[in-house]
Amino acid sequence: MYNFRMKKHSLLFPTLSLILFLLASCTPKKATPDPNALISQAVAATIAAIPTVAPAIPPTPYPTPTAVSLTGLYCEYQFCIGHPAGVAFYDHLATLNLSAPSTYNNGFIYAYQIPNMVISLIWLQAPGTTDPKFLLDTILDDQADTPNGSLEVKLIRNMNVIYTSIATTIPEVPFGSASAWTCGDRVFAWKAYTQQADIAASLFEEAMARFTCGQN
């Protein structure tokens, strides 16, 4: 019995080895990759990984420069007027009552530089008015202002402007000038107090040189 088993085992091992060899011979071999295909795949993957071109950023719009300098220019209520660069106009009606500020129809603004200058401007909508003297009389203070001589009429662009120099009873600003004119459907009146007589005339010229109301 012993020898038979040994013999049986000795025959079994060669048989298994032969079977495994045959099976291995029958197993399909892996195909060798085509180098050209590998290169094409690599190129395609590289191209796919390249980020797409970002859209061009549109140009940033910047405000265009103004046609005129805004320094020393007051523009509101559909009119503009010149003034010294070192001062600013304030709405006098708003300081009296915040709920009733100046409007297109009626207004009162002022600027000052203590202690040597005060400028005021009033306006009133008055369609059809050709003589602005009534508003000049309004802006002149009966208690403090005295016109010097007769009224002058100045043609400034297409406006007839009445003008007068004044003396005041205010010690700090004893000199001044006042004027009035019509522009569109409104009447304007302007006044300045100064320490020197010639300064008041210069302020008037500066104001009117830049005055516009859309009608002149």
Side-chain angles (χ1 to χ4, degrees), residues 45-56:
T46 301
I47 294 175
I50 297 175
T52 57
V53 178

Side-chain angles (χ1 to χ4, degrees), residues 158-178:
N158 61 342
M159 299 178 296
N160 290 319
V161 181
I162 56 176
Y163 171 87
T164 182
S165 60
I166 59 176
T168 82
T169 59
I170 305 171
E172 293 80 8
V173 282
F175 304 99
S177 62

Side-chain angles (χ1 to χ4, degrees), residues 93-103:
L93 297 185
T95 60
L96 297 176
N97 185 352
L98 287 176
S99 63
S102 297
T103 64

Side-chain angles (χ1 to χ4, degrees), residues 33-206:
D34 183 356
N36 293 328
L38 294 177
I39 293 173
S40 298
Q41 292 175 3
V43 170
T46 301
I47 294 175
I50 297 175
T52 57
V53 178
I57 300 175
T60 302
Y62 293 99
T64 57
T66 56
V68 297
S69 172
L70 299 181
T71 302
L73 183 65
Y74 174 88
C75 288
E76 189 59 87
Y77 309 113
Q78 299 184 41
F79 74 87
C80 295
I81 192 167
H83 61 82
V87 301
F89 275 109
Y90 301 92
D91 189 336
H92 181 63
L93 297 185
T95 60
L96 297 176
N97 185 352
L98 287 176
S99 63
S102 297
T103 64
Y104 175 92
N105 302 330
N106 177 41
F108 182 179
I109 60 176
Y110 69 98
Y112 61 89
Q113 189 177 70
I114 298 174
N116 57 4
M117 182 180 63
V118 179
I119 303 173
S120 56
L121 176 72
I122 62 175
W123 65 91
L124 180 68
Q125 187 175 28
T129 300
T130 58
D131 186 0
K133 186 178 182 302
F134 76 96
L135 203 61
L136 179 67
D137 294 336
T138 301
I139 202 171
L140 291 174
D141 187 336
D142 293 338
Q143 304 299 318
D145 304 334
T146 303
N148 293 326
S150 59
L151 296 176
E152 300 179 46
V153 179
K154 300 175 179 288
L155 180 61
I156 300 178
R157 294 187 292 282
N158 61 342
M159 299 178 296
N160 290 319
V161 181
I162 56 176
Y163 171 87
T164 182
S165 60
I166 59 176
T168 82
T169 59
I170 305 171
E172 293 80 8
V173 282
F175 304 99
S177 62
S179 63
W181 62 94
T182 300
C183 188
D185 61 351
R186 290 181 291 181
V187 181
F188 294 83
W190 175 97
K191 182 173 69 174
Y193 291 151
T194 61
Q195 288 185 331
Q196 300 175 356
D198 57 337
I199 297 298
S202 297
L203 291 176
F204 167 75
E205 293 177 0
E206 182 177 36

